[in-house]
Amino acid sequence: MILRSTSIFPRGPPNTTSICLKCLHRLSQPAVPVTAQRRPRTFSTATGTRDVASALPRRSLFSRKEYFLANGYFEGSRDRTGSKSLKRRLLLTTRPSALVVDPAGGQVGTAEDGGRAAIESPVGAIPLPEELPHRQKQLPQQKLLRPTPPSMGSISNAPDPVIPPDASSRLSTFSATLPSRSLRRLLATYLSLSKPRLSFLIVLTTTTAYSLYPVPALLLPSTTASPSLSTLTLLFLTTGTALTCASANALNMLLEPAHDAKMSRTRNRPLVRKLISPRGAMAFAVATGLVGLGALYYGVNPTVAFLGGFNIFLYAGIYTPLKRISVLNTWVGALVGGIPPLMGWTAAAGQSATGTGGWKELLLGQGSAGGWLLAAFLFAWQFPHFNALSWTIREEYKNAGYRMLAWINPRMNARVAVRYSVLFFPICAGLWWVGVTDQGFLVSSSVINAWLVREAWRFWRKQGGEGTARGLFWASVWHLPVVMVLAMLHKKGLWERAWRSVVGEEDDEMWESEGDVEEEEGTRSGVL
């Protein structure tokens, strides 16, 4: 007498009224390979199929939607390999993913971890699919949309993605791979001392303010047959500003290499990695500072040179040591960021000054409001940008001994970011009010400002958690250049003059200005 397992189906084709269309379609696929060595079945294997059938959860026939949606049978879906292969496939494609069966050993096991089930048997393990193929494709999207539970009852304690290293650290890493006595290594080290990304951002704001200065009608290119603002002055301005920034940044690194070594963003800086000696860094800072201030003094005007020198002192002499003393260092650093656009505005104002061109006329005279508004814009921008950055690495600032709001008072840190983000609306409106930009700038800048305020509000609401700090940081990175470009595109009178130059119409403003000048000269001569 030969003992064998009871077939799960009666002999002949399966009953198509109790099997769904998807299962029959899977049964028509090629058979799953089984291990080559198979042991002879024993009496214990005869009940394996029954154990599986009894362990399956029983459902009512009418509670399954497949009964109504799929009760057909394909003619070509019948298995040609026999009922034994059909039984094995049906066991391997059973809906409950927690059940597994070994066709050689007849053991039934469970997998509660949501992965693929495996069976400990002398022959080997046969994995079972957890879900249907179309649902397996949906699992990654569902995991992304599924909210993660907070750890230790606090969402704000969840780790946030770390901001990548700055450009100085990357350049230092690159220069370390070059030959020790090569010129490329020396240039890369000097460039890393200058913090090129920060310096470029400062030069960008300076040149933007220079280009936004409203040139009087008598000095327009259509009147003078020459550029309204000197290109040579712009060259001296950008060169001098870049060199003074390099000097200030080099002095900043020179004063705190021991503290930079404690932070992941700054531990690869050149002085920390000893790519350059402190004496060499000091020589670089002094040389760039003197050359930069000389370019601003002789190529632009003394007022701009004074602002550049004051910014070096403010950044290296006050802001750098104040970071370990008080949280007010953030406000001092914001003041440092607000001076460069004022330098650009003063440089442009010096070319059209009607008086002696002194600092009172350039900084406090008529038409100076636009420069102060641009300085206020950069001052306010520092807070959402830096507060989001410092929150992400707040523990490193704490371990390094820097006094930052991000770890001293996190709630105030988020509130300050929101408050200064809201200030962008009146500042941009003020640029239109004083005649720097046209009305289109109100609409375009409001959209970008609203995006930044939304990110700052999420940063405050979530207290920096759930990636809101990183979102605010990158929003601030894009916010500044986009608003600056929009301001230049919406400079007042730009498109009107472009239209007149294309059509060929005369500029009425120019004739009005000439008439006013003639009336003033006639009045003065009559009085005399």
Side-chain angles (χ1 to χ4, degrees):
M1 180 178 179
I2 300 176
L3 298 177
R4 55 186 177 181
S5 59
T6 305
S7 176
I8 195 169
F9 290 120
R11 297 186 181 278
N15 185 8
T16 60
T17 60
S18 59
I19 303 177
C20 69
L21 180 62
K22 295 179 181 179
C23 293
L24 290 176
H25 181 64
R26 277 200 302 270
L27 296 179
S28 64
Q29 302 299 323
V32 178
V34 191
T35 52
Q37 257 186 335
R38 298 180 56 185
R39 296 189 178 184
R41 294 177 178 242
T42 60
F43 181 79
S44 62
T45 62
T47 59
T49 304
R50 294 177 180 176
D51 294 339
V52 174
S54 61
L56 293 177
R58 296 184 178 181
R59 291 190 187 178
S60 174
L61 178 62
F62 297 96
S63 63
R64 297 170 58 91
K65 63 180 181 180
E66 290 86 351
Y67 178 80
F68 299 96
L69 299 180
N71 56 359
Y73 181 67
F74 289 119
E75 290 294 335
S77 62
R78 184 176 299 178
D79 191 4
R80 300 178 180 177
T81 59
S83 61
K84 186 179 295 185
S85 177
L86 179 64
K87 176 184 67 176
R88 185 181 297 112
R89 295 185 200 177
L90 184 60
L91 291 175
L92 291 178
T93 56
T94 308
R95 277 295 299 274
S97 59
L99 294 175
V100 291
V101 62
D102 183 9
Q107 298 178 358
V108 178
T110 59
E112 300 177 357
D113 295 335
R116 295 180 176 273
I119 313 163
E120 296 180 0
S121 65
V123 178
I126 299 179
L128 290 182
E130 180 185 1
E131 291 289 349
L132 295 176
H134 68 283
R135 294 190 179 181
Q136 289 181 5
K137 297 179 181 179
Q138 297 174 358
L139 283 178
Q141 299 178 358
Q142 294 177 357
K143 289 181 180 180
L144 292 176
L145 296 176
R146 190 179 305 161
T148 55
S151 59
M152 303 299 292
S154 176
I155 296 178
S156 61
N157 294 332
D160 198 75
V162 179
I163 301 296
D166 56 3
S168 297
S169 299
R170 294 181 180 180
L171 281 172
S172 299
T173 304
F174 170 72
S175 62
T177 61
L178 300 175
S180 58
R181 296 184 179 276
S182 64
L183 181 61
R184 291 182 60 192
R185 176 168 179 164
L186 184 63
L187 294 177
T189 303
Y190 284 149
L191 187 61
S192 63
L193 280 175
S194 64
K195 297 182 182 179
R197 188 178 300 172
L198 178 61
S199 299
F200 173 77
L201 191 63
I202 292 176
V203 172
L204 175 65
T205 58
T206 305
T207 55
T208 302
Y210 182 84
S211 63
L212 284 177
Y213 183 81
V215 181
L218 289 175
L219 297 180
L220 290 175
S222 58
T223 307
T224 60
S226 62
S228 57
L229 295 176
S230 173
T231 307
L232 185 61
T233 303
L234 179 63
L235 178 62
F236 277 109
L237 176 65
T238 54
T239 304
T241 303
L243 290 176
T244 53
C245 289
S247 176
N249 292 327
L251 291 174
N252 172 262
M253 293 187 189
L254 189 62
L255 294 175
E256 49 185 17
H259 308 298
D260 286 343
K262 302 176 184 178
M263 301 181 63
S264 60
R265 290 186 65 255
T266 58
R267 64 181 55 169
N268 288 328
R269 286 180 174 177
L271 286 170
V272 178
R273 301 189 63 173
K274 300 186 183 303
L275 298 177
I276 189 173
S277 64
R279 182 178 298 178
M282 176 61 74
F284 174 77
V286 172
T288 53
L290 291 178
V291 175
L293 292 178
L296 294 176
Y297 185 88
Y298 293 103
V300 187
N301 58 61
T303 305
V304 177
F306 170 79
L307 291 175
F310 179 69
N311 222 18
I312 295 176
F313 168 75
L314 199 62
Y315 186 73
I318 297 181
Y319 168 73
T320 300
L322 194 63
K323 290 195 294 184
R324 303 181 58 81
I325 299 174
S326 171
V327 296
L328 294 177
N329 67 84
T330 306
W331 278 262
V332 177
L335 184 61
V336 172
I339 291 179
L342 193 60
M343 294 171 58
W345 189 273
T346 306
Q351 300 184 47
S352 58
T354 57
T356 59
W359 67 272
K360 289 185 178 180
E361 181 182 1
L362 299 181
L363 294 177
L364 303 176
Q366 185 179 5
S368 63
W372 290 103
L373 284 172
L374 291 174
F377 185 92
L378 266 295
F379 178 83
W381 179 84
Q382 308 293 327
F383 293 95
H385 176 75
F386 182 75
N387 288 17
L389 171 64
S390 60
W391 192 95
T392 307
I393 53 177
R394 61 194 181 282
E395 294 299 330
E396 295 188 7
Y397 274 121
K398 183 178 180 180
N399 296 332
Y402 292 124
R403 306 285 296 178
M404 300 297 172
L405 275 176
W407 66 270
I408 293 179
N409 193 341
R411 300 188 66 85
M412 183 179 179
N413 180 73
R415 289 197 303 268
V416 169
V418 176
R419 291 170 184 171
Y420 283 94
S421 298
V422 175
L423 283 180
F424 291 125
F425 289 99
I427 292 175
C428 292
L431 290 174
W432 162 74
W433 181 261
V434 298
V436 177
T437 60
D438 55 20
Q439 295 181 355
F441 179 69
L442 290 177
V443 180
S444 58
S445 64
S446 297
V447 176
I448 307 300
N449 294 335
W451 172 46
L452 185 69
V453 170
R454 174 182 175 272
E455 294 295 332
W457 179 78
R458 293 180 66 248
F459 175 69
W460 167 76
R461 184 182 179 186
K462 302 292 184 180
Q463 291 300 309
E466 300 183 9
T468 55
R470 188 179 181 87
L472 178 59
F473 172 78
W474 287 112
S476 63
V477 168
W478 285 102
H479 173 265
L480 179 61
V482 169
V483 174
M484 293 290 102
V485 171
L486 289 175
M488 290 188 291
L489 291 176
H490 291 282
K491 182 179 179 181
K492 187 174 182 180
L494 176 65
W495 296 106
E496 289 81 356
R497 289 192 294 269
W499 173 257
R500 292 191 185 99
S501 63
V502 173
V503 177
E505 296 180 358
E506 296 181 353
D507 195 349
D508 296 335
E509 296 180 359
M510 179 184 67
W511 296 110
E512 292 177 0
S513 301
E514 291 180 353
D516 295 340
V517 172
E518 292 177 357
E519 290 179 0
E520 292 180 0
E521 291 180 354
T523 304
R524 292 177 182 176
S525 61
V527 172
L528 294 176

